[in-house]
Amino acid sequence: MAELALYNTFSRKKEIFTPADPNRVTMYVCGPTVYNLAHIGNARPVVVFDTLNRVLRSRYPNVIYARNITDIDDKIIEAARSAGTDIKDVTDEFTAKYREDMGNLNTLIPDIEPHATDNIGPMLDLMERLLAGDHAYVAEGHVLFAVDSMAEYGQLSGRSLDDMLAGARVEVASYKRHPGDFVLWKPSSDDEPGWESPWGRGRPGWHLECSAMIKAHLGDTIDIHGGGRDLIFPHHENERAQSCCAYGGEFVRYWMHNAYLDMDGEKMSKSLGNVRTVRELLQSYRGEVLRFALLSAHYRSELTFSESLLDNAKSALDSFYSALRQVADTAPEAVEASETAVAQALLDDLNTPQAIAELHAVSKRLNKAEEAAIPRLKGELLAAGKLLGLLQHDPVDWLTSGLSSGSGEGLSADEIEGQIAARAAAKADKDFAAADAIRDALASAGIVLEDSAAGTTWRRQ
RNA sequence: GGCUCGGUGGCAGAGUGGUUAUGCAGCGGAUUGCAAAUCCGUCAACGCCGGUUCGAUUCCGACCCGAGCCUCCA
């Protein structure tokens, strides 16, 4: 079997992926803090690691993919306060919407979705160990991690404590022994959510949950830990510090981080008003179009997100589905996804642009294939598409149905078929002016006609 | 200021020490009543300056420009 190469943030190079236990491959990806809707930037790691999950599953018999739900955080508290509702209402609502939105991007459901609030026990255990090992201390109701207790702190993000101090631009709380120390546990006031602990009623700091949940659900060492680039520091650096100091041994074998996407060359930010939620985009584009767009750049490169990117993604998918519609009556041959050129491309650190190029190549061969070659090529296109989480819709449905939202459906299929029949009659009478008038009318309603020897097919633009 | 990563044809976006990425757009052709779709062909790129080399977009150095991180932002 060809080897899978992955870029490891820790070593800063591509490495051949060899799981610690080929019969139990483990991957943990940082999930959402559930206090608002996921935007398209949030969706990038979800789609990227979903694709990696698919590749891993095509190679290993047992893959355990965990993605957490962070349901306790100061931003959630704030969101609930300003909405005048309960925290649970906020987290339930946005957890459900997150699952729905990500499902629409055709992502497989993770094997485990641990919630932070269900794992307070493991967090308390983790802190006890850190305190016992002198890696943490208690100050003014807080439990803090002592960064200078770890010689190699900063190794993942490639920065030294001195570097960090040189650039410090944040006020340091007086109870910290070292300015780089971070909070493991903080006290809660009566109107804030909290749990009893040996250090008083409080709640976890940002990084604690992931270390505790990885330990509780996946074990001491995991194969892959993923997330957005911005998480390298401080989040993953601190997770690593917590886990390594509490449990010793190797924590994560391969660290993977995706780059940002930018909106038409600008950073997506609330102040620029260019934040686009997945939910909003799904009003105008099907989830598979968003997924294709997100995969059209390599995950470690910045992706320029724009309307034209989405339009291109839609055209590409339309052409694949058109190729499949042409051969709808031919049964595909069973093709092993791992034997396709698309799989080869993905094995090289998830080179999705190359994989998409290979998809185009297969589609092109299918378009001009002789009868005997069709089953094999169709099978290849479908199997390769599945590895990318694409092309699994019925081609006719894809090309003729409107958006899933149901809005702007326009003409019904029956009406369109009726017009096509009328046009065929006009053409038979050599009344091309009438035939073209029908075609133009349909075109302005967003319906494209395609004539062939076998008859006329249509699709929505 | 510190650390990190980039600058590829009109646009998006891979890759490589010497030979076409790919897609969209453009141009020419086949096909079509005309189109659309499809197919064939075609144009066009590697920030700037040096260095290494028989040869550099690819390696090295300087410079210019851009992006990200530097305590809760994917």
Side-chain angles (χ1 to χ4, degrees):
Chain A
M1 187 157 62
E3 291 173 316
L4 169 63
L6 296 175
Y7 182 89
N8 189 344
T9 305
F10 189 77
S11 65
R12 288 182 205 155
K13 18 177 223 241
K14 274 190 213 173
E15 297 175 5
I16 299 302
F17 175 72
T18 49
D21 176 0
N23 293 310
R24 187 174 178 278
V25 177
T26 49
M27 174 163 78
Y28 182 97
V29 175
C30 286
T33 299
V34 281
Y35 71 105
N36 60 8
L37 290 172
H39 58 65
I40 188 66
N42 294 316
R44 190 174 192 191
V46 178
V47 168
V48 164
F49 290 104
D50 176 70
T51 305
L52 178 57
N53 184 31
R54 290 166 187 267
V55 171
L56 292 172
R57 275 167 206 273
S58 74
R59 298 170 63 79
Y60 299 101
N62 182 27
V63 176
I64 305 176
Y65 170 31
R67 186 178 65 206
N68 65 292
I69 300 281
T70 296
D71 56 357
I72 174 64
D73 181 277
D74 287 1
K75 280 175 301 195
I76 299 173
I77 297 173
E78 209 174 294
R81 199 171 276 157
S82 66
T85 57
D86 201 61
I87 283 170
K88 187 98 169 70
D89 293 336
V90 172
T91 58
D92 282 354
E93 176 189 350
F94 289 107
T95 299
K97 286 181 172 166
Y98 183 82
R99 286 178 175 149
E100 201 179 305
D101 291 343
M102 297 308 125
N104 277 325
L105 302 179
N106 201 16
T107 57
L108 303 173
I109 297 165
D111 302 287
I112 310 174
E113 269 191 307
H115 286 56
T117 55
D118 293 334
N119 290 274
I120 301 293
M123 295 187 212
L124 299 178
D125 291 344
L126 176 51
M127 284 188 284
E128 297 278 16
R129 293 186 73 111
L130 290 173
L131 285 164
D134 283 328
H135 289 293
Y137 57 95
V138 179
E140 296 184 23
H142 294 70
V143 182
L144 292 125
F145 185 92
V147 289
D148 56 10
S149 73
M150 183 188 191
E152 55 166 28
Y153 182 79
Q155 207 170 334
L156 173 64
S157 53
R159 53 188 86 195
S160 69
L161 279 174
D162 291 343
D163 288 343
M164 288 181 236
L165 292 184
R169 59 181 190 195
V170 175
E171 231 177 282
V172 177
S174 58
Y175 48 77
K176 287 188 180 180
R177 287 183 193 165
H178 185 285
D181 291 351
F182 56 92
V183 171
L184 300 169
W185 189 259
K186 64 173 101 177
S188 289
S189 61
D190 290 342
D191 62 340
E192 289 170 336
W195 291 261
E196 292 308 324
S197 83
W199 316 285
R201 185 173 171 281
R203 58 189 191 277
W206 180 28
H207 318 295
L208 190 63
E209 52 181 289
C210 290
S211 288
M213 293 194 288
I214 286 172
K215 166 76 171 174
H217 295 275
L218 297 177
D220 285 335
T221 300
I222 61 172
D223 290 308
I224 296 168
H225 190 144
R229 236 204 230 328
D230 57 312
L231 295 180
I232 296 171
F233 190 89
H235 186 52
H236 287 162
E237 189 70 68
N238 290 350
E239 261 184 58
R240 184 168 178 271
Q242 292 164 348
S243 292
C244 291
C245 290
Y247 308 120
E250 194 173 22
F251 173 43
V252 171
R253 306 185 64 245
Y254 301 86
W255 287 95
M256 294 178 68
H257 297 93
N258 61 278
Y260 273 51
L261 56 82
D262 63 72
M263 305 298 291
D264 276 320
E266 282 187 313
K267 180 184 166 138
M268 183 163 52
S269 76
K270 278 181 187 163
S271 57
L272 289 169
N274 59 358
V275 174
R276 308 293 302 274
T277 65
V278 171
R279 193 154 281 247
E280 171 195 353
L281 289 164
L282 284 169
Q283 297 293 115
S284 311
Y285 298 92
R286 275 176 284 196
E288 188 163 333
V289 172
L290 302 184
R291 182 183 180 99
F292 188 97
L294 289 172
L295 292 175
S296 65
H298 183 87
Y299 76 93
R300 281 189 288 111
S301 296
E302 281 177 10
L303 168 63
T304 310
F305 200 81
S306 65
E307 294 287 321
S308 76
L309 175 73
L310 294 173
D311 293 340
N312 275 340
K314 185 193 180 293
S315 310
L317 288 169
D318 282 352
S319 83
F320 294 141
Y321 278 116
S322 292
L324 288 169
R325 176 163 69 173
Q326 290 289 110
V327 297
D329 294 334
T330 305
E333 205 172 286
V335 172
E336 199 63 50
S338 59
E339 289 166 7
T340 61
V342 167
Q344 287 302 311
L346 293 176
L347 291 183
D348 181 16
D349 194 31
L350 242 46
N351 191 335
T352 52
Q354 182 63 41
I356 288 171
E358 299 293 354
L359 225 45
H360 282 290
V362 179
S363 175
K364 180 165 283 193
R365 273 185 277 138
L366 180 58
N367 272 328
K368 52 181 174 178
E370 305 203 356
E371 202 61 40
I374 290 174
R376 168 81 203 178
L377 289 167
K378 181 177 177 183
E380 186 174 348
L381 188 56
L382 289 170
K386 189 167 189 181
L387 203 52
L388 288 162
L390 303 170
L391 306 184
Q392 303 305 300
H393 286 98
D394 176 78
V396 175
D397 285 351
W398 175 270
L399 292 165
T400 62
S401 68
L403 290 170
S404 51
S405 64
S407 65
E409 184 80 13
L411 293 170
S412 73
D414 282 348
E415 288 169 317
I416 294 163
E417 301 287 356
Q419 292 299 302
I420 288 174
R423 175 169 168 268
K427 276 173 67 176
D429 290 344
K430 303 280 184 208
D431 186 354
F432 295 118
D436 289 351
I438 292 171
R439 186 172 64 198
D440 291 347
L442 287 173
S444 56
I447 309 299
V448 181
L449 301 189
E450 289 165 10
D451 292 341
S452 76
T456 299
T457 55
W458 61 278
R459 64 186 162 87
R460 291 185 200 272
Q461 208 158 29

